[in-house]
Amino acid sequence: MTAALHGVTKRFGTFAALRAVSLSVEDGEIHALLGANGSGKSTLVRTMTGVYVPDAGRILIDDRDVTAGWSPAAAAAAGVRVVHQEAPLVDRLSIAENVALFAGYPRGALGRIAWRRLRADTQRLLDDLSIERRSRELAGRLSGAERAMLTVELAVRTAGENLRLLVLDEATAALPEAEAEPFLRHVRGIADRGLPVLAVTHRLAELAYADRVSVLDAGHLVIEGPVSKVERSDIVRVMRGTAPASTAAHATNGARRTGPAVRATGITALWEREAGGRDAAPPQRSATGPVLRVRDLRGQDVDGLDLAVARGEIVGVVGVRGSGLEELPRLLTGAEQRRGGTIEVAGHRLPRVLAPRVAIRHGVVLLPADRLREGGFPTLPVTENVILPEARRFWHRRAQVRTAVRRVISYLDVRPTEPATVFGRLSGGNQQKVILGRLLRMRPRVLVLADPTYGVDPAAREVMFDAIRDAGAGGIAVLMTSTEPEQMAGLCDRVLVLRDGRVTEEISARTMTAENLMTKAM
């Protein structure tokens, strides 16, 4: 046994994120950890890596109790390494320079940086990983799978013989499944060298590379065993919140879910005025023509793009890296400035130099791909993250604030349900739900979603998709990009395919399948 938790409990106030969890990772195995958003996966990872100290229980490394004085530095010294969703590479530096940031700059005579040796060592590393790049190339040119493989290998090599646990925290979340395959094969090779790997994921397909699997639910470890002996259907039931009481442990104080998330009210409840408040509905919409019309839009990657989205329509956009997929949502909402073209909302042309606040004033809002840096405020509670756009309206109206926030939490099944929870402590899926709830409360004309289910587990994804459908039914025009196009089947009215910055094909709901969407997006 290399690394283990024994009876670990972690509380935040009265909320228990982990409840007497025991889990071990053996040498030479990949131990997969699954669970719905809010199940405790993030808390477990942060506890295992020293960010959190257990309130009860023990942390063992090589059978040695290291709980006392546990911290990120102590975890690193004990041989624990973690790789998160986003590979921490600096795009504007060369691959060789990024390697040096991890491993240090080699020095030559008189203490000068030995650039030739650094580039040669980096090139050997790239060749070992079968990454067909030159060490002088910018890291920004690496594909998602290449970035992930390089980051993992650097974590392993910098730890050296001291490595006692490699934690992969949703390391494949940003990768399309086709790109995840070579990365997972590489991780399998690392484990086969005798190293222990704890792989946090929400993709059941990745169990094919794992030896053991554990599943968390409401802070309890409810499933644990060899992958070959655990039924996939049991895992799905737990992650969707439909596992019977015999399968999943009960939480204290009745907090355990016993069925699927029930959204007590429809989306219109978010738009109702609170007692004593004013109606938050936007100005009257145009009854005819598309709500959003874009002509000859141009940016860095987008080049002459035309599209239109009608009131109540859900339109998906797919494409490869560099097709304009990442840039389009930001151009439409003023997060990046366009080089040309026009954007019209409900018949009104938006200004050539578009600021996000101006876009919001015209009813265009963005759920960004980077939820922590651009979507939410990590150090503020859920309450402030929900009401900030309407802070002036809620001035000195605490009862109305409570009502508004509770509606968002109930409607989107945000967990934990306490409005005072700090946003940065929520799991990724629950952070995304809070941001989506804030945007929906604004009752926009156009809702732009940039890869909204990135790093989100299946249960949370379905809650978000239901809310997106409700938004369309409520008359909002929805434009959604995704790096996992198969998710758009059954959600979108039509899907646009981007190539070289333009729309080259349109797929109707009638002909749309997960398979042809994935094919068209490649």
Side-chain angles (χ1 to χ4, degrees):
M1 177 175 63
T2 297
L5 301 178
H6 276 293
V8 166
T9 294
K10 182 60 185 174
R11 294 183 177 275
F12 300 98
T14 59
F15 173 71
L18 294 177
R19 301 168 186 264
V21 171
S22 294
L23 178 148
S24 65
V25 187
E26 308 292 339
D27 287 336
E29 79 167 0
I30 298 177
H31 191 140
L33 178 65
L34 290 86
N37 281 108
S39 62
K41 300 192 306 295
S42 297
T43 302
L44 188 147
V45 167
R46 291 167 182 168
T47 302
M48 197 70 115
T49 56
V51 177
Y52 296 150
V53 177
D55 295 312
R58 298 182 298 152
I59 301 172
L60 302 181
I61 302 292
D62 288 340
D63 293 322
R64 181 170 57 91
D65 190 339
V66 295
T67 313
W70 194 236
S71 67
V80 179
R81 296 292 186 273
V82 61
V83 176
H84 297 287
Q85 289 181 12
E86 293 287 353
L89 301 180
V90 182
D91 288 349
R92 295 182 181 275
L93 294 181
S94 70
I95 299 172
E97 288 171 307
N98 274 276
V99 168
L101 292 178
F102 276 85
Y105 286 88
R107 300 286 176 173
L110 304 176
R112 294 176 178 172
I113 296 174
W115 289 105
R116 185 175 298 177
R117 192 197 319 166
L118 172 60
R119 294 185 186 112
D121 290 347
T122 301
Q123 194 59 56
R124 280 193 293 273
L125 173 59
L126 294 173
D127 294 342
D128 289 346
L129 297 174
S130 300
I131 296 176
E132 297 180 357
R133 302 283 183 181
R134 308 308 300 171
S135 62
R136 290 177 177 268
E137 289 186 56
L138 294 179
R141 299 186 65 180
L142 293 168
S143 70
E146 290 169 343
R147 294 170 70 92
M149 279 195 291
L150 181 60
T151 303
V152 167
E153 191 62 26
L154 286 171
V156 171
R157 294 194 181 195
T158 54
E161 295 182 358
N162 186 46
L163 184 67
R164 292 296 178 267
L165 178 65
L166 176 63
V167 181
L168 304 181
D169 185 12
E170 298 274 13
T172 60
L175 304 179
E177 291 191 14
E179 284 192 36
E181 290 294 322
F183 171 74
L184 292 168
R185 288 195 296 269
H186 179 67
V187 173
R188 181 69 262 175
I190 290 174
D192 290 343
R193 281 146 51 186
L195 300 174
V197 179
L198 177 65
V200 181
T201 182
H202 62 271
R203 293 175 174 173
L204 289 178
E206 295 183 7
L207 292 181
Y209 295 89
D211 302 290
R212 282 195 296 155
V213 58
S214 294
V215 183
L216 287 171
D217 184 42
H220 291 276
L221 188 65
V222 296
I223 294 176
E224 193 279 333
V227 169
S228 60
K229 295 184 179 180
V230 174
E231 292 292 336
R232 302 296 194 273
S233 58
D234 289 340
I235 297 175
V236 170
R237 281 196 292 272
V238 171
M239 293 181 68
R240 290 188 180 277
T242 56
S246 59
T247 303
H250 288 278
T252 59
N253 300 323
R256 168 77 173 90
R257 289 172 297 175
T258 55
V262 178
R263 291 156 59 245
T265 56
I267 194 172
T268 53
L270 301 184
W271 300 337
E272 291 173 1
R273 70 181 70 184
E274 294 77 25
R278 295 176 294 161
D279 197 338
Q284 199 64 31
R285 306 161 194 262
S286 173
T288 60
V291 176
L292 174 67
R293 184 183 291 280
V294 177
R295 294 186 177 93
D296 195 29
L297 185 65
R298 296 189 301 279
Q300 295 300 316
D301 295 324
V302 172
D303 186 18
L305 180 144
D306 298 318
L307 64 80
V309 185
R311 184 175 188 267
E313 189 179 25
I314 302 174
V315 176
V317 184
V318 299
V320 297
R321 182 185 291 269
S323 65
L325 187 70
E326 297 90 351
E327 185 182 38
L328 176 60
R330 301 178 64 81
L331 293 177
L332 294 176
T333 56
E336 291 184 17
Q337 293 305 309
R338 63 187 188 273
R339 292 191 294 115
T342 61
I343 303 172
E344 293 182 4
V345 176
H348 299 284
R349 181 173 295 190
L350 301 190
R352 172 68 179 79
V353 178
L354 180 63
R357 66 178 181 277
V358 176
I360 291 171
R361 196 159 60 237
H362 283 82
V364 183
V365 298
L366 170 67
L367 192 154
D370 191 336
R371 52 183 168 251
L372 268 181
R373 281 188 285 186
E374 298 180 336
F377 301 88
T379 60
L380 295 181
V382 168
T383 294
E384 275 70 14
N385 272 275
V386 169
I387 67 155
L388 268 177
E390 306 172 276
R392 184 173 298 177
R393 184 167 76 87
F394 284 121
W395 186 253
H396 289 316
R397 290 176 174 150
R398 292 183 180 180
Q400 294 172 31
V401 168
R402 286 194 294 270
T403 299
V405 175
R406 287 291 183 190
R407 284 173 178 171
V408 168
I409 289 173
S410 173
Y411 174 66
L412 287 163
D413 191 32
V414 177
R415 295 174 181 270
T417 59
E418 175 52 56
T421 303
V422 174
F423 180 83
R425 289 183 174 176
L426 297 177
S427 64
N430 283 298
Q431 289 174 357
Q432 204 77 319
K433 290 177 187 177
V434 170
I435 299 168
L436 180 60
R438 180 179 73 215
L439 298 178
L440 291 176
R441 267 199 57 82
M442 298 165 69
R443 197 174 183 182
R445 290 187 171 96
V446 180
L447 175 63
V448 181
L449 306 168
D451 214 1
T453 56
Y454 158 73
V456 173
D457 74 83
R461 183 185 306 150
E462 287 305 315
V463 172
M464 292 181 64
F465 282 175
D466 283 346
I468 292 168
R469 293 186 185 99
D470 285 353
I476 297 172
V478 180
L479 185 74
M480 168 183 167
T481 68
S482 179
T483 54
E484 295 182 295
E486 67 276 11
Q487 297 179 11
M488 294 185 173
L491 175 67
C492 296
D493 298 300
R494 53 193 174 96
V495 170
L496 309 177
V497 181
L498 294 190
R499 287 278 187 278
D500 300 321
R502 300 184 180 190
V503 176
T504 58
E505 190 172 352
E506 180 177 308
I507 304 171
S508 67
R510 183 174 53 83
T511 61
M512 192 185 304
T513 65
E515 291 74 18
N516 70 7
L517 286 176
M518 292 181 68
T519 300
K520 298 292 185 182
M522 295 176 65

